[in-house]
Short mmCIF file of all heavy atoms in Angstrom, two decimals:
data_model
loop_
_atom_site.label_atom_id
_atom_site.label_comp_id
_atom_site.label_asym_id
_atom_site.label_seq_id
_atom_site.Cartn_x
_atom_site.Cartn_y
_atom_site.Cartn_z
N PHE A 1338 -113.78 -6.02 -6.35
CA PHE A 1338 -113.09 -5.98 -5.04
C PHE A 1338 -111.95 -5.02 -5.00
O PHE A 1338 -111.42 -4.69 -3.91
CB PHE A 1338 -112.56 -7.39 -4.72
CG PHE A 1338 -113.53 -8.23 -3.87
CD1 PHE A 1338 -114.91 -7.95 -3.86
CD2 PHE A 1338 -113.05 -9.31 -3.12
CE1 PHE A 1338 -115.75 -8.67 -3.14
CE2 PHE A 1338 -113.95 -10.08 -2.40
CZ PHE A 1338 -115.31 -9.82 -2.34
N GLY A 1339 -111.55 -4.57 -6.17
CA GLY A 1339 -110.38 -3.62 -6.15
C GLY A 1339 -110.09 -3.12 -7.57
O GLY A 1339 -110.43 -3.74 -8.57
N VAL A 1340 -109.39 -1.99 -7.62
CA VAL A 1340 -108.83 -1.41 -8.85
C VAL A 1340 -107.41 -1.05 -8.56
O VAL A 1340 -107.14 -0.38 -7.58
CB VAL A 1340 -109.63 -0.24 -9.38
CG1 VAL A 1340 -108.98 0.34 -10.65
CG2 VAL A 1340 -111.11 -0.57 -9.62
N MET A 1341 -106.50 -1.46 -9.40
CA MET A 1341 -105.11 -1.16 -9.23
C MET A 1341 -104.53 -0.72 -10.57
O MET A 1341 -104.34 -1.51 -11.45
CB MET A 1341 -104.38 -2.36 -8.69
CG MET A 1341 -102.95 -2.05 -8.16
SD MET A 1341 -102.28 -3.33 -7.09
CE MET A 1341 -102.28 -4.77 -8.12
N ASN A 1342 -104.32 0.60 -10.70
CA ASN A 1342 -103.92 1.22 -11.94
C ASN A 1342 -104.93 0.91 -12.98
O ASN A 1342 -106.10 1.31 -12.83
CB ASN A 1342 -102.48 0.72 -12.32
CG ASN A 1342 -101.48 1.08 -11.24
OD1 ASN A 1342 -101.54 2.17 -10.64
ND2 ASN A 1342 -100.57 0.17 -10.93
N ASP A 1343 -104.57 0.18 -14.08
CA ASP A 1343 -105.57 -0.17 -15.11
C ASP A 1343 -106.09 -1.60 -14.97
O ASP A 1343 -106.73 -2.16 -15.90
CB ASP A 1343 -104.91 -0.03 -16.49
CG ASP A 1343 -104.64 1.44 -16.86
OD1 ASP A 1343 -105.41 2.30 -16.39
OD2 ASP A 1343 -103.65 1.66 -17.51
N THR A 1344 -105.96 -2.19 -13.82
CA THR A 1344 -106.43 -3.54 -13.60
C THR A 1344 -107.65 -3.52 -12.65
O THR A 1344 -107.56 -2.89 -11.60
CB THR A 1344 -105.33 -4.43 -12.97
OG1 THR A 1344 -104.20 -4.48 -13.82
CG2 THR A 1344 -105.87 -5.81 -12.65
N VAL A 1345 -108.71 -4.17 -13.08
CA VAL A 1345 -109.91 -4.30 -12.21
C VAL A 1345 -109.95 -5.71 -11.71
O VAL A 1345 -109.86 -6.67 -12.43
CB VAL A 1345 -111.21 -4.00 -13.06
CG1 VAL A 1345 -112.45 -4.20 -12.21
CG2 VAL A 1345 -111.19 -2.55 -13.56
N ILE A 1346 -110.14 -5.82 -10.38
CA ILE A 1346 -110.09 -7.09 -9.71
C ILE A 1346 -111.57 -7.48 -9.35
O ILE A 1346 -112.17 -6.85 -8.55
CB ILE A 1346 -109.23 -7.03 -8.44
CG1 ILE A 1346 -107.82 -6.58 -8.78
CG2 ILE A 1346 -109.21 -8.36 -7.73
CD1 ILE A 1346 -107.02 -6.07 -7.59
N ILE A 1347 -112.03 -8.53 -9.95
CA ILE A 1347 -113.41 -8.98 -9.74
C ILE A 1347 -113.41 -10.31 -9.00
O ILE A 1347 -112.71 -11.27 -9.33
CB ILE A 1347 -114.13 -9.12 -11.08
CG1 ILE A 1347 -114.25 -7.73 -11.83
CG2 ILE A 1347 -115.50 -9.77 -10.97
CD1 ILE A 1347 -114.97 -7.79 -13.17
N HIS A 1348 -114.23 -10.36 -7.95
CA HIS A 1348 -114.45 -11.58 -7.21
C HIS A 1348 -115.64 -12.28 -7.84
O HIS A 1348 -116.69 -11.66 -8.09
CB HIS A 1348 -114.69 -11.28 -5.74
CG HIS A 1348 -115.00 -12.49 -4.95
ND1 HIS A 1348 -116.12 -12.75 -4.22
CD2 HIS A 1348 -114.16 -13.62 -4.71
CE1 HIS A 1348 -116.11 -13.91 -3.65
NE2 HIS A 1348 -114.92 -14.43 -3.88
N ASP A 1349 -115.53 -13.61 -8.08
CA ASP A 1349 -116.54 -14.36 -8.74
C ASP A 1349 -116.74 -15.71 -7.99
O ASP A 1349 -115.82 -16.29 -7.52
CB ASP A 1349 -116.15 -14.61 -10.20
CG ASP A 1349 -117.16 -15.41 -10.96
OD1 ASP A 1349 -118.29 -14.92 -11.10
OD2 ASP A 1349 -116.88 -16.51 -11.37
N MET A 1350 -118.03 -16.08 -7.89
CA MET A 1350 -118.38 -17.36 -7.31
C MET A 1350 -119.44 -18.05 -8.14
O MET A 1350 -120.32 -17.31 -8.74
CB MET A 1350 -118.91 -17.19 -5.88
CG MET A 1350 -117.91 -16.65 -4.91
SD MET A 1350 -118.57 -16.55 -3.21
CE MET A 1350 -119.72 -15.19 -3.39
N THR A 1351 -119.50 -19.35 -8.23
CA THR A 1351 -120.62 -20.05 -8.92
C THR A 1351 -121.88 -19.98 -8.11
O THR A 1351 -122.93 -19.91 -8.67
CB THR A 1351 -120.23 -21.49 -9.25
OG1 THR A 1351 -119.84 -22.13 -8.04
CG2 THR A 1351 -119.07 -21.54 -10.23
N SER A 1352 -121.76 -19.99 -6.86
CA SER A 1352 -122.86 -19.76 -5.87
C SER A 1352 -122.22 -19.21 -4.64
O SER A 1352 -121.02 -19.14 -4.51
CB SER A 1352 -123.68 -21.01 -5.66
OG SER A 1352 -122.85 -22.03 -5.02
N PHE A 1353 -123.07 -18.79 -3.72
CA PHE A 1353 -122.56 -18.04 -2.52
C PHE A 1353 -121.58 -18.97 -1.80
O PHE A 1353 -121.93 -20.04 -1.28
CB PHE A 1353 -123.65 -17.63 -1.62
CG PHE A 1353 -123.21 -16.77 -0.45
CD1 PHE A 1353 -122.91 -15.46 -0.73
CD2 PHE A 1353 -123.09 -17.25 0.83
CE1 PHE A 1353 -122.46 -14.61 0.33
CE2 PHE A 1353 -122.67 -16.44 1.83
CZ PHE A 1353 -122.35 -15.13 1.60
N GLY A 1354 -120.29 -18.47 -1.69
CA GLY A 1354 -119.27 -19.21 -0.92
C GLY A 1354 -118.69 -20.40 -1.66
O GLY A 1354 -117.86 -21.15 -1.08
N VAL A 1355 -119.04 -20.61 -2.91
CA VAL A 1355 -118.58 -21.77 -3.69
C VAL A 1355 -117.68 -21.29 -4.86
O VAL A 1355 -118.07 -20.39 -5.58
CB VAL A 1355 -119.74 -22.62 -4.21
CG1 VAL A 1355 -119.19 -23.80 -5.00
CG2 VAL A 1355 -120.58 -23.09 -3.05
N ASN A 1356 -116.54 -21.99 -5.00
CA ASN A 1356 -115.61 -21.69 -6.07
C ASN A 1356 -115.20 -20.24 -6.14
O ASN A 1356 -115.18 -19.57 -7.22
CB ASN A 1356 -116.20 -22.10 -7.44
CG ASN A 1356 -116.44 -23.59 -7.57
OD1 ASN A 1356 -115.68 -24.39 -7.03
ND2 ASN A 1356 -117.46 -24.01 -8.27
N SER A 1357 -114.85 -19.72 -4.97
CA SER A 1357 -114.44 -18.29 -4.86
C SER A 1357 -113.08 -18.08 -5.56
O SER A 1357 -112.17 -18.86 -5.36
CB SER A 1357 -114.30 -17.96 -3.40
OG SER A 1357 -113.80 -16.69 -3.13
N ARG A 1358 -113.05 -17.04 -6.44
CA ARG A 1358 -111.80 -16.81 -7.13
C ARG A 1358 -111.75 -15.27 -7.49
O ARG A 1358 -112.76 -14.57 -7.46
CB ARG A 1358 -111.75 -17.58 -8.43
CG ARG A 1358 -112.89 -17.28 -9.37
CD ARG A 1358 -112.86 -18.04 -10.64
NE ARG A 1358 -113.89 -17.66 -11.57
CZ ARG A 1358 -113.86 -17.80 -12.86
NH1 ARG A 1358 -112.81 -18.34 -13.42
NH2 ARG A 1358 -114.87 -17.44 -13.63
N LEU A 1359 -110.55 -14.84 -7.89
CA LEU A 1359 -110.36 -13.49 -8.40
C LEU A 1359 -110.02 -13.53 -9.84
O LEU A 1359 -109.34 -14.41 -10.31
CB LEU A 1359 -109.22 -12.78 -7.64
CG LEU A 1359 -109.41 -12.55 -6.13
CD1 LEU A 1359 -108.11 -11.88 -5.62
CD2 LEU A 1359 -110.60 -11.72 -5.83
N LEU A 1360 -110.61 -12.58 -10.58
CA LEU A 1360 -110.31 -12.45 -12.00
C LEU A 1360 -109.78 -11.04 -12.24
O LEU A 1360 -110.40 -10.06 -11.91
CB LEU A 1360 -111.52 -12.66 -12.89
CG LEU A 1360 -112.13 -14.05 -12.77
CD1 LEU A 1360 -113.50 -14.11 -13.56
CD2 LEU A 1360 -111.20 -15.14 -13.29
N LEU A 1361 -108.54 -10.96 -12.83
CA LEU A 1361 -107.88 -9.67 -13.09
C LEU A 1361 -108.10 -9.31 -14.54
O LEU A 1361 -107.63 -10.00 -15.43
CB LEU A 1361 -106.42 -9.73 -12.76
CG LEU A 1361 -106.04 -9.54 -11.24
CD1 LEU A 1361 -106.66 -10.62 -10.34
CD2 LEU A 1361 -104.49 -9.66 -11.09
N PHE A 1362 -108.85 -8.25 -14.78
CA PHE A 1362 -109.17 -7.82 -16.12
C PHE A 1362 -108.45 -6.45 -16.40
O PHE A 1362 -108.29 -5.60 -15.50
CB PHE A 1362 -110.63 -7.60 -16.30
CG PHE A 1362 -111.46 -8.84 -16.33
CD1 PHE A 1362 -112.09 -9.30 -15.20
CD2 PHE A 1362 -111.62 -9.59 -17.52
CE1 PHE A 1362 -112.86 -10.46 -15.24
CE2 PHE A 1362 -112.39 -10.69 -17.54
CZ PHE A 1362 -113.03 -11.17 -16.39
N ASP A 1363 -108.05 -6.30 -17.69
CA ASP A 1363 -107.54 -5.00 -18.15
C ASP A 1363 -108.75 -4.06 -18.31
O ASP A 1363 -109.66 -4.40 -19.08
CB ASP A 1363 -106.77 -5.17 -19.49
CG ASP A 1363 -106.08 -3.92 -19.90
OD1 ASP A 1363 -106.75 -2.88 -20.02
OD2 ASP A 1363 -104.83 -3.97 -20.18
N ALA A 1364 -108.77 -2.91 -17.63
CA ALA A 1364 -109.89 -2.03 -17.73
C ALA A 1364 -110.00 -1.35 -19.08
O ALA A 1364 -111.09 -0.89 -19.39
CB ALA A 1364 -109.72 -0.96 -16.65
N ASN A 1365 -108.96 -1.36 -19.88
CA ASN A 1365 -108.99 -0.69 -21.17
C ASN A 1365 -109.63 -1.50 -22.29
O ASN A 1365 -110.40 -1.00 -23.09
CB ASN A 1365 -107.57 -0.19 -21.57
CG ASN A 1365 -106.99 0.79 -20.55
OD1 ASN A 1365 -107.64 1.81 -20.26
ND2 ASN A 1365 -105.80 0.53 -20.07
N ASP A 1366 -109.22 -2.77 -22.34
CA ASP A 1366 -109.75 -3.57 -23.42
C ASP A 1366 -110.48 -4.85 -22.91
O ASP A 1366 -111.07 -5.62 -23.77
CB ASP A 1366 -108.58 -4.04 -24.37
CG ASP A 1366 -107.53 -4.89 -23.68
OD1 ASP A 1366 -107.77 -5.45 -22.54
OD2 ASP A 1366 -106.40 -5.04 -24.23
#
Side-chain angles (χ1 to χ4, degrees):
F1338 268 21
V1340 178
M1341 192 161 61
N1342 301 320
D1343 290 329
T1344 300
V1345 175
I1346 303 162
I1347 295 180
H1348 178 242
D1349 180 64
M1350 298 182 289
T1351 53
S1352 60
F1353 188 75
V1355 178
N1356 295 327
S1357 174
R1358 61 179 184 155
L1359 298 179
L1360 297 174
L1361 279 57
F1362 289 97
D1363 188 305
N1365 296 309
D1366 61 17

